[in-house]
Amino acid sequence: MLKYIVKRFFLMILTIFIIATLTFFLMNAIPGSPFNEEKTSNAVVQQNLEKHFNLDKPLPVQYVLYLKSIITFDFGPSIKQPTETVNSLLGRGFPISAELGIWTILVALVSGITLGVVAALRHNKLIDYTAMTIAVLGISIPNFVLATLVIQVVAVDLKLLPAATWNSPQHMILPIIALATGPMAIIARLTRSSMLETLTQDYIKTARAKGLSPFKIVVKHALRNALMPVVTILGTLLAGILTGTFVIEKIFAIPGMGKYFVQGINQRDYPVIMGTTVFYSTFLVMMLFLVDIMYGVLDPRIKLHKKGGE
């Protein structure tokens, strides 16, 4: 297992390096300069600006400086906001985006697993059909469409919750609903199908024959194995949630990292774009690495296989 963890760690570092390299060269492949739209047409001023941001240096030199900034976690100043550094923007935006993402994942997991378990225990009953109908709708409706609908119905028509910004717990509800509904639906369907299969296994029948309570059978014995498909897809869902926050943050005017990323693209602010991309990519790859490690925690057979196989 330790050998597997070390191997996955180095693969994670290689993935981050490839993403950082592609980000750098793709950004520099865009024609023109970030200063082309500046109000001044003074060539000397533009040259000084390019020199200040190291844009006058050869591309290999810029690349080395860029890699150094990643290693030292110092992405430098923003081009369009000279009084701000990329690190300060990340410091303000990431806690908000992380809070939104964490609450979304928790809501999606708890509601999805609960819905899936209840549907499996009431197989072919009304609650099963209702739960799967909700799941199908959740998968079918994109989060930006759902966000627009909940703003119109809940915030504008019914005036039950605020429509935008991020100032109180009430402001968090609609964005979390918009982001969590899709993952919740996927988790519910996976949990239901896995629970239905697990409940037919011999060890479950043995547990029932021993007189164990239904609660202990479901929670202690069935649910642990039934969650393996959920853990398998958790990395993909996590990626969808993290990237989906950019759109949702824009719709709900949330001052998270999505705001600075979109602004950076519109303004061609290279340090902000590259810093945000590398930071988000590193965070996501690390989360996927942790999900892989969780396999061994939930299913000891994977741990034994890794020890024997490698």
Side-chain angles (χ1 to χ4, degrees), residues 205-224:
K205 296 177 182 178
T206 302
R208 286 171 176 164
K210 289 181 177 179
L212 295 180
S213 66
F215 178 82
K216 183 175 290 188
I217 292 174
V218 171
V219 175
K220 186 176 180 180
H221 297 282
L223 187 57
R224 180 172 180 176

Side-chain angles (χ1 to χ4, degrees), residues 2-304:
L2 179 61
K3 186 178 179 181
Y4 171 72
I5 293 175
V6 173
K7 180 181 177 182
R8 287 290 294 113
F9 176 78
F10 282 107
L11 285 175
M12 178 183 72
I13 298 299
L14 178 61
T15 302
I16 295 171
F17 172 76
I18 293 174
I19 292 173
T21 300
L22 288 175
T23 302
F24 175 82
F25 286 105
L26 287 174
M27 285 302 305
N28 283 275
I30 300 175
S33 165
F35 307 110
N36 285 351
E37 297 181 358
E38 295 293 329
K39 293 181 180 180
T40 177
S41 59
N42 191 315
V44 176
V45 173
Q46 291 202 16
Q47 288 176 3
N48 289 334
L49 288 171
E50 291 180 356
K51 182 178 181 179
H52 177 72
F53 291 101
N54 296 317
L55 298 179
D56 62 328
K57 291 180 171 58
L59 198 60
V61 176
Q62 293 184 42
Y63 178 61
V64 172
L65 293 174
Y66 168 65
L67 291 180
K68 181 182 177 182
S69 71
I70 294 175
I71 295 173
T72 59
F73 198 70
D74 182 7
F75 297 108
S78 166
I79 291 178
K80 298 298 182 178
Q81 303 179 63
T83 59
E84 296 277 7
T85 64
V86 178
N87 288 45
S88 65
L89 296 178
L90 293 176
R92 283 204 306 270
F94 178 70
I96 296 175
S97 296
E99 185 178 11
L100 174 59
I102 290 171
W103 278 111
T104 298
I105 293 170
L106 289 176
V107 170
L109 281 173
V110 172
S111 58
I113 292 172
T114 302
L115 204 61
V117 170
V118 172
L121 295 177
R122 298 292 183 267
H123 184 47
N124 288 333
K125 302 290 179 59
L126 177 61
I127 192 170
D128 182 20
Y129 297 137
T130 303
M132 289 306 98
T133 301
I134 295 173
V136 170
L137 290 175
I139 295 173
S140 304
I141 303 175
N143 57 21
F144 60 88
V145 175
L146 183 61
T148 306
L149 289 174
V150 295
I151 288 175
Q152 180 62 44
V153 175
V154 180
V156 177
D157 295 340
L158 301 178
K159 302 185 186 309
L160 296 177
L161 293 168
T165 69
W166 192 260
N167 298 323
S168 67
Q170 288 75 21
H171 289 86
M172 300 167 61
I173 296 176
L174 294 185
I176 290 173
I177 291 174
L179 268 177
T181 301
M184 178 271 294
I186 296 174
I187 292 171
R189 288 174 62 87
L190 279 175
T191 304
R192 174 184 177 274
S193 60
S194 184
M195 278 292 294
L196 288 175
E197 180 181 354
T198 303
L199 289 173
T200 61
Q201 299 297 316
D202 291 338
Y203 71 92
I204 297 296
K205 296 177 182 178
T206 302
R208 286 171 176 164
K210 289 181 177 179
L212 295 180
S213 66
F215 178 82
K216 183 175 290 188
I217 292 174
V218 171
V219 175
K220 186 176 180 180
H221 297 282
L223 187 57
R224 180 172 180 176
N225 289 329
L227 286 181
M228 287 306 299
V230 176
V231 176
T232 303
I233 202 173
L234 189 60
T236 305
L237 294 179
L238 184 64
I241 290 172
L242 291 178
T243 53
T245 57
F246 282 4
V247 178
I248 297 301
E249 285 175 12
K250 185 68 175 177
I251 293 175
F252 288 95
I254 298 173
M257 285 181 62
K259 169 187 174 182
Y260 301 116
F261 183 73
V262 173
Q263 285 181 353
I265 293 176
N266 292 335
Q267 299 173 349
R268 294 187 62 173
D269 195 337
Y270 291 170
V272 172
I273 297 173
M274 292 189 292
T276 306
T277 302
V278 171
F279 181 85
Y280 242 77
S281 301
T282 302
F283 181 77
L284 177 58
V285 172
M286 289 177 63
M287 291 299 101
L288 295 177
F289 171 72
L290 293 177
V291 168
D292 283 347
I293 303 305
M294 284 176 60
Y295 293 162
V297 176
L298 287 177
D299 193 344
R301 292 173 299 177
I302 295 177
K303 188 185 298 184
L304 293 174

